[in-house]
Amino acid sequence: MKKFLSAILFFAAVLASAAGLQVSVDRDTVPENEVFYFTMEFEGSIDGPISLPELSGGDWLTNIRRNGVSILNGKRVNTLSVGIRGTAPGTLVIPAFKVKIDGREEQTQKIEVKVVPLSEMQVDDRAGGSATRLSDAVFGELTLPDKRQTYYVGEAIPMRVTVLALSELQPRLNRLPELTGTSDLVSRSYQWPDGRTSNFAEPDIRQTVQNGKRFIRFDFDTVMRPLKPGKIEPKASLTLSVALPDEQRSRPSFGFGFGFPFSDVEYTTYKVETSSPGAIEIKSLPPAPKDAVNLGLLGRWTLTGGFDRKEAKAGEALSFFLELKGSGTIETLSAPKLAFENMRVFPPEVQKDKPGEIRISYAVVPLKAGEFSKTMKFATFDPATGSYAVHELDLRLPVAPNDLPMTPGYSTGEAAPLSGEAAPAAADPVQSAQHLHRTSPGKTVPLPLIRHALPPAAAIVLLAAIAALVIELAARRKHRMQNDPEFRRVRLLKKEVPKLIARLKNTRSEEEFLQLLSVSVHPLLAEALRLPPGATPSEITAKIEDPALKAFLESVQAAEFMPAAARHKLFSKENVELLSAGLRKYAALFLLFVLAVFPAGAAEKPGAFEQGGAAFAAGDYPAAIRHYREALNDRAPSPHILYNLGEAAYRLGDLPLAKGYFERAHRLAPLDPVITEDLRQVNTALKLPEYDGGAVGRYRDALRPDWYLMIAATALAVLAVAGAVRRKLPPLLTRTALLCAAAVFVLASTAMYFQMHTTYRPERAVVLGSSLELRSLPAASSGSVVAVVSGGSDARILDRNGDFVRIGVNGQDGWVPAEKVMPIF
């Protein structure tokens, strides 16, 4: 009893001594390495600095302070909060220490705070009504969808990282998963819709219910390829931000006596370590068959191939191809270099346009006439059987002699001999160098060269213009046939009506006449009456205005129900003439209607630009780009259409494509502030340096080169006029006009010259896609990778070779596919 009374008296003394100073912490249990706050409440003001005691298992964060003022029972109470971080699990003791307040010395109370690992924090499950540890509320696993534990070197290993978090924790993704134990594996790259490249496909995020609890599920898929044999045990980790239940509250005040103007949730970073799928054994590939060419492919594949023609001529190029279809790892493909007897085989080109399809093409030039025969074997490895599948091709190709002589270069360093002739012996280069006397006067070359070359050049241009006009008219007619249904009807009626009338007049039997009516006459009348395809005979008859023809067609509809004698009366010369006249009449009426309503072949559909605007407004940006491209005239582009293309590409997330279109629009409309600002924003988003041509360059590029050309021409005209009238003007005015005109001419010409060699040079281009490999050779698979450049980079086209161009970017140059760069002009 005495001990109990002593304890009460002790606590009363402590409370009485600390009546002017109260201390507290915002939580009694905190995660390890997470900040919590130690708060002092007092009346008055603190004298001098506070001497904070040392903490065992924790650190004071004096740079994190909070001051506040509140009114309690009519008294002004000040608060001071200081941050603390618990650095080790256990009990963190904040010892009592002395504080001077308004000249009197007060002592705080000792406080104990429990510090636990973050994974051991208790989380209240609102749905289940029970508490659970954070490690049981947020967890994950690394799985192998193929359910295999044995793979081969180079074979694709699909992996999936799955993380589940309680919905109450409001999980947010901080960063993509990180894999460990995969140092001997290489990951596949995935292109995200926003243009980013990642080693994981875009995550699938959805809600799921497990054990009666609602979770947010994150699924990340990737594919790895092992580089060497052995055993691997991959693991994954994922960093999330979660809102613990006691942190889902409004932020406290920050020194002004009021809190944040909006409610927010404090998130805690939590790293999830996933479980491992177990050890995976990586086996070495067995040796490939010696008599087969190893393609390096793993999986189940079928192979077909051969030459693209059944016959060839010596010296004329043809193609040899290998086509593979199936499933498996295509990254390990090794396109072989082939050698055929008496043929020159060029390096291969590889196409992987469709999933599960590979085409390897070789350009081949026969060097000798004869029968080419060869049996080839190609090997692919099937992991399911653990052995190679051998694909055999039996090649046969007759090579005919060529009447034309073969040029040097088809064989390795030597010219092929002429067909049927022996190769001439090589002459001594010293003896062959002889100075011969020319006995013929030869053809004369008229001078001046330009004047005498002008008439034939003009004739060539005129003939080319006529040919271009004919080609243009033919193309327009073809385009109208494809896109203008009314024009097609006109052509059909003009061509088919006379033929059908002739067939009607040559009909010899009742059955043939009735069949011709249903098969040919009814569809042609439907076209002439502008009825939709598939119109019934009743619909056609209802549109006929001629009473006699209408009565005849109604009788034809009831022909199958008539007696044979009555049906035979339908097939008469008078009815054939009546039907022929009706065809002529309604076909002619239709042609007049077309000429009146569609005088110039106007399209019924709205214009491509209007269609692009409608698609843009509906949010269908791929369709908007397609329609705007149709409306764009590449020879005379509109800055407005280019700007719309850039906007549509920007909203799709294709920033390099948007930069290309904005660059084009900006070069054509340099004074448009909207285009200039959007181009600047795209460059900023791509982390590209802004163009800095200095003050001179910025003022120079304010106008286009053609504008400078017109200014220079105007200045030259002023020079000529001022020089011609100089005798009638005051000398000072004449000299001023001449000097100003000369200065303007020089400045405009100089600006135009430097623009055409810098910002407006024709070889300027923009790199498309998220990244681009520069190769040493103009081929998709041969040659080495020189460098990798980021999408949106400024490039300079240096050379062209078929479908490839050589570009220079940031001091590097290499070959890329032509469609991977966008020329500015």
Side-chain angles (χ1 to χ4, degrees):
M1 187 64 179
K2 287 184 177 181
K3 290 182 179 180
F4 180 71
L5 292 174
S6 300
I8 292 176
L9 292 174
F10 173 76
F11 282 113
V14 170
L15 290 174
S17 64
L21 178 63
Q22 297 292 333
V23 294
S24 62
V25 290
D26 57 347
R27 286 172 287 173
D28 55 2
T29 302
V30 295
E32 182 182 3
N33 292 320
E34 187 168 314
V35 178
F36 65 97
Y37 294 93
F38 172 82
T39 302
M40 296 185 294
E41 297 182 359
F42 52 90
E43 298 177 16
S45 56
I46 296 176
D47 297 336
I50 301 175
S51 181
L52 298 173
E54 292 187 3
L55 300 177
S56 177
D59 295 323
W60 290 98
L61 303 177
T62 56
N63 59 325
I64 303 178
R65 297 168 59 106
R66 294 173 175 174
N67 296 302
V69 178
S70 60
I71 305 297
L72 183 63
N73 297 326
K75 296 182 180 181
R76 179 186 178 92
V77 178
N78 297 316
T79 60
L80 172 63
S81 299
V82 183
I84 300 178
R85 178 188 290 118
T87 57
T91 300
L92 174 62
V93 178
I94 306 173
F97 59 93
K98 295 180 180 181
V99 181
K100 285 188 178 182
I101 302 175
D102 291 339
R104 67 180 185 276
E105 192 174 74
E106 302 284 353
Q107 185 168 356
T108 66
Q109 299 167 298
K110 182 180 73 172
I111 298 179
E112 294 182 357
V113 179
K114 186 177 181 181
V115 180
V116 298
L118 182 61
S119 59
E120 300 295 326
M121 285 292 295
Q122 296 294 314
V123 177
D124 293 327
D125 180 16
R126 299 171 187 171
S130 60
T132 182
R133 294 182 304 176
L134 184 60
S135 58
D136 296 328
V138 184
F139 54 90
E141 62 177 347
L142 174 63
T143 58
L144 304 177
D146 286 350
K147 306 296 183 183
R148 292 169 51 191
Q149 298 298 129
T150 303
Y151 290 84
Y152 289 88
V153 172
E155 185 182 4
I157 306 178
M159 295 184 181
R160 173 172 291 177
V161 178
T162 301
V163 172
L164 291 92
L166 278 177
S167 300
E168 286 78 13
L169 298 179
Q170 304 178 27
R172 292 182 180 178
L173 181 64
N174 272 15
R175 62 181 65 177
L176 294 178
E178 297 178 357
L179 296 175
T180 57
T182 58
S183 57
D184 296 328
L185 281 76
V186 61
S187 176
R188 179 181 297 174
S189 295
Y190 295 86
Q191 185 76 26
W192 285 30
D194 59 358
R196 288 185 295 168
T197 301
S198 171
N199 291 333
F200 286 87
E202 194 173 15
D204 179 21
I205 305 174
R206 63 184 186 276
Q207 286 195 354
T208 183
V209 177
Q210 187 168 319
N211 298 328
K213 300 179 181 179
R214 188 177 297 276
F215 288 83
I216 303 295
R217 176 172 178 149
F218 300 83
D219 285 328
F220 300 85
D221 290 325
T222 188
V223 174
M224 310 290 288
R225 286 191 298 111
L227 301 178
K228 63 181 183 180
K231 286 191 176 181
I232 60 173
E233 190 169 354
K235 294 182 180 179
S237 61
L238 182 67
T239 303
L240 294 172
S241 291
V242 295
L244 300 180
D246 58 340
E247 295 177 345
Q248 296 181 18
R249 60 184 184 277
S250 298
R251 291 183 177 176
S253 61
F254 278 81
F256 300 100
F258 54 86
F260 250 71
F262 51 86
S263 179
D264 197 4
V265 174
E266 293 185 0
Y267 278 88
T268 300
T269 302
Y270 181 63
K271 188 175 183 179
V272 184
E273 299 286 347
T274 66
S275 59
S276 171
I280 304 174
E281 183 180 3
I282 308 299
K283 293 184 178 181
S284 299
L285 291 173
K290 294 183 179 180
D291 59 341
V293 178
N294 185 11
L295 296 177
L297 286 175
L298 286 82
R300 293 183 173 234
W301 299 93
T302 59
L303 183 143
T304 57
F307 295 99
D308 64 343
R309 62 184 72 173
K310 296 182 179 179
E311 295 181 353
K313 285 187 177 181
E316 292 185 1
L318 67 154
S319 294
F320 173 77
F321 69 93
L322 299 174
E323 196 168 274
L324 294 121
K325 295 184 178 181
S327 61
T329 308
I330 64 175
E331 291 86 353
T332 56
L333 171 68
S334 176
K337 293 184 178 180
L338 301 182
F340 295 156
E341 186 178 359
N342 295 323
M343 289 188 179
R344 184 181 181 188
V345 183
F346 288 82
E349 294 183 2
V350 181
Q351 295 178 339
K352 304 175 184 177
D353 299 332
K354 299 179 180 179
E357 292 186 15
I358 304 173
R359 185 180 178 90
I360 309 174
S361 302
Y362 300 79
V364 179
V365 179
L367 304 177
K368 185 178 180 182
E371 184 76 19
F372 174 81
S373 176
K374 186 179 181 67
T375 299
M376 299 196 69
K377 295 181 179 180
F378 299 89
T380 59
F381 185 76
D382 188 355
T385 61
S387 60
Y388 283 89
V390 178
H391 313 273
E392 188 170 307
L393 289 180
D394 190 13
L395 305 178
R396 298 287 186 274
L397 183 69
V399 180
N402 200 334
D403 298 331
L404 299 176
M406 295 181 64
T407 59
Y410 284 118
S411 60
T412 56
E414 296 181 355
L418 301 180
S419 176
E421 297 181 7
D428 187 355
V430 177
Q431 296 179 357
S432 62
Q434 301 179 10
H435 299 278
L436 301 177
H437 175 67
R438 305 294 176 87
T439 59
S440 173
K443 295 182 179 180
T444 61
V445 179
L447 295 176
L449 294 174
I450 300 297
R451 184 190 303 171
H452 288 87
L454 191 59
I460 292 173
V461 171
L462 181 60
L463 292 175
I466 295 173
L469 180 61
V470 173
I471 295 172
E472 179 67 20
L473 291 176
R476 286 176 178 270
R477 180 178 177 182
K478 182 179 179 181
H479 178 76
R480 287 191 67 187
M481 284 293 292
Q482 293 176 347
N483 299 282
D484 191 346
E486 302 298 341
F487 185 73
R488 286 199 300 269
R489 286 175 173 172
V490 170
R491 301 298 303 174
L492 178 66
L493 292 176
K494 281 186 177 180
K495 182 178 179 181
E496 296 297 330
V497 167
K499 293 181 180 179
L500 184 56
I501 291 174
R503 291 177 61 189
L504 283 171
K505 292 183 177 181
N506 293 328
T507 304
R508 294 292 179 265
S509 65
E510 169 192 340
E511 291 77 10
E512 184 182 356
F513 178 68
L514 294 176
Q515 183 180 7
L516 194 61
L517 281 175
S518 61
V519 174
S520 300
V521 174
H522 283 149
L524 205 59
L525 280 174
E527 288 287 342
L529 294 169
R530 305 188 74 252
L531 294 173
T536 62
S538 299
E539 294 173 336
I540 296 172
T541 305
K543 284 280 187 177
I544 297 294
E545 297 180 355
D546 187 344
L549 181 59
K550 188 171 186 177
F552 168 71
L553 292 175
E554 289 174 348
S555 301
V556 170
Q557 295 179 42
E560 59 179 323
F561 305 106
M562 293 181 178
R567 188 167 61 248
H568 182 70
K569 292 181 180 179
L570 294 175
F571 176 51
S572 63
K573 184 177 181 181
E574 292 77 12
N575 287 336
V576 170
E577 289 294 339
L578 178 64
L579 194 56
S580 301
L583 285 172
R584 293 192 190 97
K585 172 185 176 183
Y586 286 104
L589 289 176
F590 173 76
L591 296 180
L592 289 176
F593 171 81
V594 170
L595 293 176
V597 180
F598 306 99
E604 290 181 335
K605 298 180 181 179
F609 184 81
E610 288 76 11
Q611 290 178 329
F616 190 98
D620 190 357
Y621 301 118
I625 291 177
R626 186 173 63 254
H627 291 308
Y628 282 138
R629 281 294 307 156
E630 294 175 1
L632 184 67
N633 183 354
D634 288 327
R635 294 189 177 184
S638 164
H640 288 187
I641 297 180
L642 290 170
Y643 174 75
N644 290 349
L645 284 165
E647 276 294 314
Y650 182 84
R651 305 211 179 187
L652 273 178
D654 194 342
L655 296 182
L657 183 62
K659 173 183 168 62
Y661 284 127
F662 283 149
E663 278 279 8
R664 286 182 171 183
H666 179 61
R667 294 307 163 202
L668 295 179
L671 298 178
D672 192 319
V674 176
I675 297 176
T676 304
E677 177 60 20
D678 283 10
L679 177 59
R680 187 194 64 78
Q681 291 182 7
V682 170
N683 282 329
T684 302
L686 287 170
K687 304 295 189 297
L688 296 175
E690 294 188 18
Y691 169 71
D692 186 15
V696 175
R698 287 193 294 271
Y699 284 117
R700 179 199 64 199
D701 291 340
L703 299 179
R704 294 200 316 246
D706 55 335
W707 296 348
Y708 281 122
L709 178 61
M710 295 301 297
I711 293 172
T714 304
L716 196 59
V718 171
L719 271 174
V721 173
V725 300
R726 66 185 184 280
R727 298 178 183 86
K728 298 183 179 181
L729 296 176
L732 180 60
L733 180 60
T734 302
R735 285 195 296 269
T736 304
L738 290 174
L739 287 175
C740 292
V744 170
F745 175 77
V746 171
L747 291 175
S749 301
T750 304
M752 180 180 63
Y753 174 83
F754 282 105
Q755 277 187 329
M756 296 305 296
H757 287 79
T758 54
T759 53
Y760 284 85
R761 64 177 182 264
E763 63 269 20
R764 275 200 65 199
V766 173
V767 176
L768 301 180
S770 60
S771 61
L772 185 61
E773 293 181 347
L774 305 184
R775 291 190 164 270
S776 59
L777 296 177
S781 58
S782 59
S784 59
V785 177
V786 177
V788 178
V789 296
S790 59
S793 300
D794 290 321
R796 187 162 58 95
I797 298 176
L798 305 175
D799 196 5
R800 294 181 181 271
N801 187 344
D803 294 334
F804 285 81
V805 295
R806 187 166 65 91
I807 62 173
V809 184
N810 301 328
Q812 302 280 349
D813 67 272
W815 292 93
V816 298
E819 69 271 8
K820 296 297 183 181
V821 295
M822 175 188 287
I824 300 301
F825 290 107

